[in-house]
Amino acid sequence: MGAAGSKLEKALGDQFPEGERYFGLENFGNTCYCNSVLQALYFCVPFREQLLDYYANNKSIGDVEENLLTCLADLFSQISSQKKKTGVIAPKRFVQRLKKQNELFRSYMHQDAHEFLNFLLNELVDILEKEAQAVKSDPETSSPSDKTANGPKNAQANGALKEPLVTWVHKNFQGILTNETRCLRCETVTARDETFLDLSLDIEQNSSITSCLKNFSSTETLNAEDKFFCDKCCSLQEAQKRMKIKKPPHILVIHLKRFKYIEQLGRYKKLSYRVVFPLELKLSNTVEDADSEYSLFAVVVHVGSGPNHGHYVSLVKSHNHWLFFDDENVEMIDESAVQTFFGSAQEYSSNTDHGYILFYECLGSTSNKS
Amino acid sequence: MMMHNNGNNGYGNGVMTSASPTTTSLSSSSASANGQSTQQQQGLKTYFKTPEGRYKLHFEKTHPPGILPYSHGKSVSQITLAHLKEKPTQAGSASSSGASTSGGVRNAAARLLGVGGGNGSRALSFVGGNGASKAANGTSRSSSLAGSNGSHSMLNSNYDGKGTYLMFNVGDSLFVSDLNTHDKDPIKSLHFSTSNPICHSFDPEAKDGHDLLIGLNSGDVYSVSLRQQLQDVGKKLVGAQHYNKEGSVTNSRCTSVAWVPKADGTFVVAHADGNLYVYEKSKDGTGDTTFPVVKDQNQFSVAHARSSKSNPIARWHICQSSINGIAFSSDGAYLATVGRDGYLRVFDYQKEQLICGGKSYYGALLCCAWSMDGKYILTGGEDDLVTVWSMEDRKVVAWGEGHNSWVSGVAFDSYWSSPTSDGTEESVMYRFGSVGQDTQLLLWDLSMDEIVVPLRRCPPGGSPTFSTGSQSSHWDSICPVGTLQPAPSMRDVPKLSPLVAHRVHSEPLSGLIFTEESILTACREGYVKIWVRPSNSESQSSNPEIPVGNSSKELPPLPGKTGASSYKSVHLLIYSSNTFS
Ligand SMILES: [Zn+2]
């Protein structure tokens, strides 16, 4: 393990990014689902920085009851403050806390990385919201987390009744979808907004993420059994429905629905489809022509042919280098190696390493020249 | 076969080389822009409809089973067409050999070809297009080949007498197939033991000597005479000239090779490190092959070799990331490159200057091709779009939407003429095609009249601004950089819809070539399909003009309707190995 670390250091040489740490995570028996997601989150730089800020500010106000947020902050701070540049860390406290919190993750069974990510982000949001409420009920205490994360207080007060609190987790990951339904009789468009922390996309063989996103937003006709109740017509009507992205998130997390329930089999099956994902992406299914560019910075990869077993690894882009994290091991890989995780064009293939969760970061609205 | 048999709809057939009656009776639903998933589950059809008629699957070319690309993602099969005219055999005339191990075979072949006149020891078997005759050497092995041209009487096996060959790389091999035969199997395989062949190019204008370039994953480049390879029995290159030997110039992977049109024997090699090298095939390359360090990685710069003996003669530093595709305009005046950074760049080749270029909507660009008249460039890439770039306007004039995945091959159909065109300049139309990783072939019509350009046209004087770089030294002149356009906004570019969308293979596609008679599609794993154009009776316009020149680097200009007699063809002599034992 130590040798592997030095190998990575050698590979990076004088290109080793200043202040950056590349640490593998020990596996506590089928915790690769957790490790792969943690690495992706660690290298989500805005998230990491805000988490470390939170940690720094929370330490100053003394002991806080341990929760997933403090455990995660503790782990990230432990990694970032290592003297050595590479090595292995055991995320013991975090994993213990996770198992305590949710019995789903308690077993030694193979777990779903997307379920874990979803659970974790929602848990972090819950904790931050509870903290903010506690602060509100006791205005004497000024919480540093409030300052750093929740923006000006008056904005919060304005929308206090209607709008849910926007935490820094939201600011990173939350987007808004709008569900537009057009009644085919009266042409009235009913729009309903919903927030999301990640997008789960249906996939097709030999397609691209661009195409999957298009299908996600394609127009669907509601008819027959599935009519729409139009408030204006006051009756069930045929309608057209489509999902568009009203507010694109800063960090776009795309989950490929590779595990599909097959009714005939009565179980889940892994779809090994080849779904190509570009290193840069723009969303075409937005309400307004956004044209803002996203850049891929992490991929959680599922290795294996079935849903109930297998392994998770992650690919991470850090300071223009791509790294491969496989529990304790960290290696440098060439950017062109990313394409070996697209999937298989044929159903039965020896290649079982498939991109499962993609992390894109918005580069801002100006197109960047290379 | 590779096809999935889908039992419940009757579409599944083994895809033979001709359309089966059951499939032809089914109406084609493939003309919709978006091949939907339900359609993709069905078997592959053996034809597709266009306004001018049906294109039918004519031939298929593959490689022997069991040869799998050893490294996924590294070896994508590319296709090159070569047309060999009849001429005296030139075995042994190649200048030098980089493949010394095969020297014995080469010499033997040259001897057997009758260079030394008749000695009675010839025992040959002719294998034209049909590999089956390899086994038939008992009957044909004693034919005599007195004189360099020999007798043509035995060469009828070369199906229709045309010497058109298809080359495609798979794994560590480069295969050569006779284009105009039913035979699926290649007639020749060239094995590369050290690294995979990645790209290749044939020079239809080569007067003599080497006409085939092969670029390897290791960065090595070979030039050979295709004819000489076909005449040799071995699996190794013969009479090859080796460039960038042992990475003396660069260790970076070759991504694309091209002969410079109208510049007999000059060629360029693009690499994954963003550099492009210019070579001359006549030069030995024994001189100093090192170039100065690129000073500014972000700047286009050209460095010329220190010595006139050196080969390569120049290095073009184009970008920091991989160059994925290159294409010369048919007159050789301009060179277009596309790359990982998403930029199309167009250079004045003689002046070594960046003229114009622009960025994809997003993601890398993977392929590019010129229109015959040099007015338009097609690009395809990771934004799933086919982009039409206008040289006149120096900007993107249309986006073709229709692929469900990355666009891996584009080409203009230079043999197509609009059925309605009456030759007036007003209604200039272009037909082009694209293939993608969605396994689809799309055909498009481009009529510039129909495209409503929402933005004002760039003024004719909207030339790129040049930065005045100082000449640092006599061999390293920093060329000024032309203006590259940023990615256009979605709403600003007119959209095209495909005329035809047809799922042609079960694997992602990698290449596309238009010939006078057909469309060739290739998939990444090295299966090639030849779709014959609608027959004259079906076609509205039966007399397309044959343009001169190339529409892509891979498309040699096939001569017009020449009498079949003038195609007595290349001698395809494959010697059974026991001949030499
Ligand atoms: Zn209504």
Side-chain angles (χ1 to χ4, degrees):
Chain A
M1 286 183 285
S6 62
K7 203 169 120 197
L8 176 64
E9 272 179 74
K10 265 180 210 151
L12 279 159
D14 55 5
Q15 292 194 61
F16 203 102
E18 185 76 28
E20 197 58 84
R21 297 288 176 270
Y22 299 119
F23 273 71
L25 295 172
E26 201 179 306
N27 190 327
F28 297 100
N30 271 330
T31 53
C32 52
Y33 70 91
C34 177
N35 289 346
S36 60
V37 168
L38 290 177
Q39 294 290 9
L41 288 176
Y42 185 81
F43 290 97
C44 177
V45 175
F47 175 81
R48 185 213 303 179
E49 283 176 352
Q50 277 155 311
L51 184 64
L52 291 176
D53 269 0
Y54 171 87
Y55 182 76
N57 292 326
N58 256 9
K59 255 201 320 206
S60 61
I61 49 168
D63 279 32
V64 192
E65 201 189 327
E66 185 190 274
N67 57 38
L68 266 185
L69 179 60
T70 60
C71 288
L72 186 67
D74 198 45
L75 175 66
F76 278 23
S77 129
Q78 214 187 320
I79 297 172
S80 68
S81 60
Q82 288 289 318
K83 279 207 187 81
K84 283 163 80 183
K85 289 174 175 175
T86 60
V88 181
I89 273 185
K92 206 171 176 182
R93 261 184 71 203
F94 180 84
V95 171
Q96 275 173 349
R97 185 74 222 172
L98 176 70
K99 291 189 172 178
K100 216 182 224 174
Q101 204 100 348
N102 189 323
E103 62 179 333
L104 191 74
F105 300 110
R106 215 163 291 161
S107 78
Y108 283 88
M109 300 259 294
H110 182 71
Q111 304 289 346
D112 185 280
H114 174 248
E115 252 169 58
F116 164 67
L117 173 67
N118 202 276
F119 170 78
L120 179 61
L121 291 183
N122 280 299
E123 194 68 21
L124 299 184
V125 163
D126 277 356
I127 294 164
L128 287 172
E129 280 174 349
K130 268 180 204 149
E131 275 180 16
Q133 269 165 14
V135 170
K136 231 195 229 166
S137 59
D138 180 13
E140 297 289 302
T141 323
S142 82
S143 160
S145 69
D146 195 42
K147 269 188 225 147
T148 53
N150 297 331
K153 279 212 162 169
N154 52 353
Q156 205 181 310
N158 283 342
L161 281 175
K162 271 190 125 181
E163 277 187 19
L165 183 71
V166 179
T167 68
W168 53 266
V169 174
H170 288 119
K171 278 178 187 165
N172 278 310
F173 294 101
Q174 183 172 270
I176 300 171
L177 281 172
T178 185
N179 201 332
E180 293 177 351
T181 314
R182 188 167 58 98
C183 171
L184 287 179
R185 185 162 170 258
C186 70
E187 298 283 315
T188 305
V189 176
T190 314
R192 204 184 75 240
D193 290 355
E194 53 185 284
T195 61
F196 64 93
L197 296 175
D198 61 57
L199 290 178
S200 284
L201 299 184
D202 285 310
I203 56 168
E204 281 178 13
Q205 179 58 290
N206 292 319
S207 64
S208 65
I209 283 297
T210 307
S211 163
C212 296
L213 282 164
K214 255 182 208 159
N215 288 342
F216 179 79
S217 289
S218 64
T219 304
E220 182 189 348
T221 303
L222 304 175
N223 55 17
E225 304 281 281
D226 193 27
K227 278 183 186 159
F228 164 74
F229 187 85
C230 175
D231 285 337
K232 206 174 176 198
C233 300
C234 287
S235 56
L236 284 171
Q237 294 296 336
E238 289 196 356
Q240 280 186 330
K241 191 184 110 170
R242 65 177 175 181
M243 289 268 243
K244 282 189 143 191
I245 294 173
K246 193 175 180 181
K247 183 195 160 280
H250 182 67
I251 306 292
L252 174 65
V253 180
I254 295 175
H255 161 231
L256 307 185
K257 290 183 176 171
R258 287 203 179 269
F259 301 114
K260 194 182 177 187
Y261 188 75
I262 309 289
E263 246 168 84
Q264 295 98 307
L265 300 174
R267 60 174 170 84
Y268 283 88
K269 177 180 183 261
K270 183 177 177 187
L271 303 176
S272 61
Y273 295 164
R274 188 168 199 275
V275 180
V276 298
F277 42 89
L279 301 174
E280 285 91 39
L281 180 70
K282 282 179 186 173
L283 296 173
S284 57
N285 56 339
T286 49
V287 173
E288 286 167 34
D289 278 339
D291 284 327
S292 55
E293 193 166 12
Y294 284 88
S295 176
L296 184 74
F297 70 89
V299 182
V300 170
V301 173
H302 180 264
V303 182
S305 51
N308 300 318
H309 47 84
H311 185 48
Y312 285 104
V313 297
S314 47
L315 317 174
V316 161
K317 188 185 184 183
S318 170
H319 302 269
N320 286 318
H321 298 290
W322 279 91
L323 298 151
F324 177 83
F325 287 87
D326 180 355
D327 289 330
E328 296 88 350
N329 289 308
V330 192
E331 276 170 45
M332 225 173 94
I333 56 165
D334 195 72
E335 181 188 83
S336 62
V338 173
Q339 64 181 302
T340 57
F341 299 93
F342 287 160
S344 328
Q346 298 291 327
E347 192 169 356
Y348 302 103
S349 166
S350 53
N351 171 19
T352 63
D353 308 0
H354 306 128
Y356 182 50
I357 312 173
L358 313 175
F359 294 76
Y360 284 93
E361 182 177 4
C362 188
L363 297 172
S365 49
T366 50
S367 67
N368 67 323
K369 271 196 173 185
S370 66
Chain B
M1 292 290 93
M2 312 176 50
M3 318 304 150
H4 294 297
N5 243 305
N6 195 333
N8 55 20
N9 57 23
Y11 280 73
N13 58 32
V15 187
M16 294 294 109
T17 50
S18 62
S20 76
T22 51
T23 53
T24 48
S25 65
L26 293 161
S27 70
S28 168
S29 58
S30 61
S32 71
N34 298 307
Q36 292 303 310
S37 56
T38 50
Q39 199 178 311
Q40 291 186 356
Q41 297 309 312
Q42 294 164 359
L44 297 169
K45 292 200 190 75
T46 54
Y47 68 90
F48 57 89
K49 279 181 177 170
T50 66
E52 66 269 19
R54 274 164 195 256
Y55 284 71
K56 289 177 187 155
L57 180 60
H58 193 48
F59 297 142
E60 284 177 274
K61 304 289 174 188
T62 71
H63 50 87
I67 297 173
L68 292 168
Y70 81 83
S71 176
H72 197 76
K74 264 188 184 169
S75 305
V76 169
S77 192
Q78 297 289 340
I79 48 174
T80 294
L81 270 189
H83 183 78
L84 288 180
K85 299 179 192 105
E86 182 187 25
K87 57 176 155 183
T89 52
Q90 306 211 345
S93 68
S95 49
S96 76
S97 170
S100 54
T101 50
S102 56
V105 173
R106 188 180 78 242
N107 294 339
R111 181 165 44 81
L112 287 162
L113 276 162
V115 174
N119 65 49
S121 69
R122 292 180 210 102
L124 310 177
S125 80
F126 288 89
V127 180
N130 195 339
S133 59
K134 267 180 245 172
N137 54 4
T139 54
S140 62
R141 62 185 303 164
S142 61
S143 33
S144 157
L145 249 189
S148 62
N149 249 330
S151 156
H152 292 294
S153 58
M154 294 303 295
L155 298 172
N156 293 336
S157 53
N158 194 357
Y159 195 62
D160 68 353
K162 287 191 181 182
T164 305
Y165 300 93
L166 171 72
M167 282 159 282
F168 56 102
N169 58 292
V170 179
D172 59 4
S173 297
L174 179 70
F175 294 102
V176 186
S177 286
D178 188 339
L179 184 69
N180 296 303
T181 66
H182 282 283
D183 196 16
K184 266 188 162 181
D185 292 325
I187 55 170
K188 173 86 189 173
S189 71
L190 292 163
H191 185 77
F192 295 80
S193 51
T194 50
S195 178
N196 286 3
I198 300 292
C199 46
H200 23 92
S201 179
F202 180 78
D203 182 9
E205 296 158 356
K207 285 174 188 76
D208 53 12
H210 292 187
D211 47 15
L212 176 62
L213 294 173
I214 304 153
L216 269 56
N217 193 57
S218 58
D220 293 64
V221 181
Y222 294 97
S223 73
V224 293
S225 151
L226 172 61
R227 190 184 306 269
Q228 201 186 344
Q229 309 312 306
L230 295 174
Q231 288 165 344
D232 187 77
V233 61
K235 288 198 157 195
K236 299 256 171 142
L237 288 180
V238 289
Q241 185 150 341
H242 194 168
Y243 312 85
N244 187 25
K245 199 174 183 176
E246 281 147 14
S248 62
V249 182
T250 176
N251 287 312
S252 176
R253 176 169 51 94
C254 293
T255 56
S256 197
V257 286
W259 294 98
V260 183
K262 325 252 187 268
D264 187 41
T266 308
F267 63 91
V268 298
V269 183
H271 290 269
D273 64 0
N275 290 317
L276 176 136
Y277 291 89
V278 184
Y279 292 86
E280 280 174 1
K281 74 172 175 186
S282 52
K283 275 191 181 172
D284 228 357
T286 47
D288 185 5
T289 54
T290 57
F291 286 87
V293 175
V294 175
K295 287 199 183 70
D296 183 350
Q297 286 286 333
N298 289 309
Q299 278 267 61
F300 166 64
S301 64
V302 177
H304 295 274
R306 296 160 209 249
S307 141
S308 60
K309 280 180 187 162
S310 296
N311 207 13
I313 58 169
R315 178 198 61 203
W316 294 33
H317 175 71
I318 290 177
C319 49
Q320 272 183 280
S321 49
S322 178
I323 302 167
N324 291 332
I326 58 175
F328 276 101
S329 60
S330 56
D331 60 1
Y334 296 102
L335 170 66
T337 69
V338 291
R340 157 68 190 95
D341 64 0
Y343 280 94
L344 162 73
R345 291 173 173 86
V346 185
F347 300 91
D348 183 315
Y349 178 71
Q350 284 307 323
K351 290 184 182 159
E352 301 180 331
Q353 269 180 1
L354 179 65
I355 297 298
C356 61
K359 199 180 175 304
S360 65
Y361 186 46
Y362 56 82
L365 285 177
L366 305 171
C367 53
C368 59
W370 287 84
S371 66
M372 281 305 305
D373 53 17
K375 286 183 178 167
Y376 298 98
I377 302 169
L378 298 172
T379 63
E382 298 182 356
D383 52 12
D384 295 8
L385 298 169
V386 179
T387 301
V388 184
W389 176 268
S390 162
M391 282 301 286
E392 227 164 71
D393 298 334
R394 287 178 173 165
K395 66 171 188 183
V396 173
V397 290
W399 268 333
E401 288 183 309
H403 278 291
N404 297 320
S405 187
W406 297 353
V407 180
S408 43
V410 286
F412 278 97
D413 182 352
S414 57
Y415 300 96
W416 181 84
S417 68
S418 167
T420 56
S421 99
D422 49 5
T424 56
E425 283 297 306
E426 299 301 314
S427 60
V428 181
M429 277 185 73
Y430 299 84
R431 165 67 60 84
F432 61 89
S434 59
V435 293
Q437 303 215 1
D438 58 359
T439 74
Q440 291 195 102
L441 164 70
L442 269 56
L443 296 179
W444 314 73
D445 278 347
L446 176 70
S447 167
M448 291 321 289
D449 307 338
E450 286 167 28
I451 288 179
V452 184
V453 182
L455 290 177
R456 64 181 168 79
R457 295 197 146 205
C458 284
S463 56
T465 51
F466 292 107
S467 68
T468 47
S470 59
Q471 299 241 326
S472 52
S473 66
H474 67 281
W475 38 256
D476 189 359
S477 57
I478 308 289
C479 287
V481 179
T483 300
L484 296 173
Q485 305 271 334
S489 179
M490 199 26 113
R491 79 186 83 172
D492 292 340
V493 180
K495 310 294 186 302
L496 296 175
S497 291
L499 188 73
V500 172
H502 184 66
R503 192 181 163 227
V504 284
H505 293 245
S506 62
E507 296 275 352
L509 303 185
S510 59
L512 165 73
I513 297 178
F514 288 96
T515 72
E516 189 185 346
E517 301 87 7
S518 55
I519 302 176
L520 274 65
T521 57
C523 78
R524 296 160 59 92
E525 316 295 313
Y527 287 77
V528 183
K529 290 188 180 181
I530 297 146
W531 304 85
V532 70
R533 290 177 189 267
S535 64
N536 286 350
S537 56
E538 276 181 86
S539 174
Q540 294 289 314
S541 72
S542 58
N543 187 23
E545 291 199 358
I546 313 298
V548 182
N550 305 354
S551 72
S552 84
K553 65 182 159 69
E554 295 172 326
L555 179 57
L558 298 175
K561 307 234 183 290
T562 327
S565 59
S566 67
Y567 285 105
K568 277 285 167 64
S569 160
V570 63
H571 298 237
L572 265 182
L573 310 173
I574 292 183
Y575 306 84
S576 58
S577 52
N578 61 6
T579 308
F580 302 106
S581 59

